[in-house]
Amino acid sequence: DAKTTQPNSMESNEEEPVHLPCNHSTISGTDYIHWYRQLPSQGPEYVIHGLTSNVNNRMASLAIAEDRKSSTLILHRATLRDAAVYYCILRERISGTYKYIFGTGTRLKVLA
Amino acid sequence: GAVVSQHPSRVICKSGTSVKIECRSLDFQATTMFWYRQFPKKSLMLMATSNEGSKATYEQGVEKDKFLINHASLTLSTLTVTSAHPEDSSFYICSAPRPGGPDTQYFGPGTRLTVL
């Protein structure tokens, strides 16, 4: 079962920041928090990942709660091209292999 | 550029036929690859783990005789949907771990299978 919970959908206006929340209350001490996004009819695309400290890259920022039970993906200025389904993922160790188990994700709609 | 490719990008076949989908890692080797299935408006569902040089491991509820996986080389995994039926119509996606970790994945662009 997916170890993360996210809102099903969110809306944002273009050029405004977007905060996408994720709850992962069962996270273990060694689990990285991964974020991917999927544009229509494409495979998922890596966005960002982190362990404990907040992370920034050219696409987004990741804010991780101190207890690591939740995180927030921050898109600083949403564009129409950011409209996608955003997945927050914790890997699971199954039969000796680390695997991604996808949750429902958040469908982000960006309004012009 | 893409680091994991899939071929074909879309395929239409008749019910009862078999369809092969290829997943290739470009410029890196992958001893493990993963296959997912995605129905419209739904999330990705992990089907199986493809292991180079050994048998694939399938997730619960996935028929291994229906979805044959062969990891022929360090850069190629194939998924064959045998005796396809309309309910097998879906978006099939593969992924491979990024070399050097920590455990991020490269995903392929997906293959749209339509079974008539």
Side-chain angles (χ1 to χ4, degrees):
Chain A
D1 291 337
K3 298 166 69 173
T4 62
T5 54
Q6 301 174 251
N8 286 333
S9 62
M10 292 184 66
E11 283 188 1
S12 172
N13 293 318
E14 199 176 9
E15 302 294 315
E16 291 187 356
V18 182
H19 291 233
L20 299 169
C22 180
N23 287 321
H24 29 79
S25 58
T26 60
I27 191 170
S28 71
T30 57
D31 274 343
Y32 279 82
I33 301 155
H34 304 260
W35 284 83
Y36 286 75
R37 72 180 186 182
Q38 186 180 27
L39 282 72
S41 298
Q42 296 186 29
E45 171 190 30
Y46 169 79
V47 178
I48 202 166
H49 74 282
L51 184 62
T52 56
S53 302
N54 294 343
V55 184
N56 300 294
N57 66 20
R58 64 175 180 81
M59 289 182 70
S61 295
L62 177 59
I64 301 172
E66 197 169 332
D67 63 6
R68 300 208 329 121
K69 293 185 177 181
S70 65
S71 62
T72 302
L73 178 69
I74 303 166
L75 306 180
H76 296 285
R77 290 178 65 209
T79 69
L80 296 178
R81 287 178 293 181
D82 291 323
V85 179
Y86 287 78
Y87 294 101
C88 166
I89 303 166
L90 303 181
R91 63 183 184 177
E92 292 191 18
R93 189 177 176 91
I94 302 173
S95 301
T97 302
Y98 286 107
K99 304 177 183 179
Y100 284 0
I101 305 299
F102 282 73
T104 56
T106 296
R107 185 174 298 275
L108 175 64
K109 185 175 181 179
V110 180
L111 306 174
Chain B
V3 293
V4 172
S5 68
Q6 286 184 237
H7 177 80
S9 59
R10 57 179 61 235
V11 56
I12 301 172
C13 70
K14 293 182 179 179
S15 186
T17 60
S18 294
V19 174
K20 181 186 286 187
I21 302 170
E22 294 184 347
C23 176
R24 293 182 185 273
S25 57
L26 308 178
D27 299 325
F28 72 99
Q29 295 180 339
T31 56
T32 300
M33 291 183 176
F34 300 94
W35 286 97
Y36 299 83
R37 180 167 56 179
Q38 185 176 34
F39 292 109
K41 303 293 185 184
K42 299 295 185 182
S43 185
L44 281 74
M45 185 194 79
L46 179 65
M47 297 175 67
T49 303
S50 175
N51 304 297
E52 192 272 335
S54 64
K55 291 182 180 180
T57 54
Y58 291 80
E59 298 302 308
Q60 191 173 6
V62 178
E63 300 174 60
K64 60 181 179 182
D65 295 330
K66 171 78 171 174
F67 300 100
L68 300 179
I69 291 173
N70 182 25
H71 203 130
S73 73
L74 288 171
T75 59
L76 173 64
S77 174
T78 60
L79 169 69
T80 301
V81 183
T82 63
S83 186
H85 291 284
E87 58 264 31
D88 298 322
S89 298
S90 189
F91 194 48
Y92 292 87
I93 303 168
C94 69
S95 74
R98 190 185 80 171
D103 196 42
T104 55
Q105 302 261 337
Y106 291 127
F107 285 84
T111 297
R112 176 80 56 195
L113 170 63
T114 302
V115 184
L116 302 177

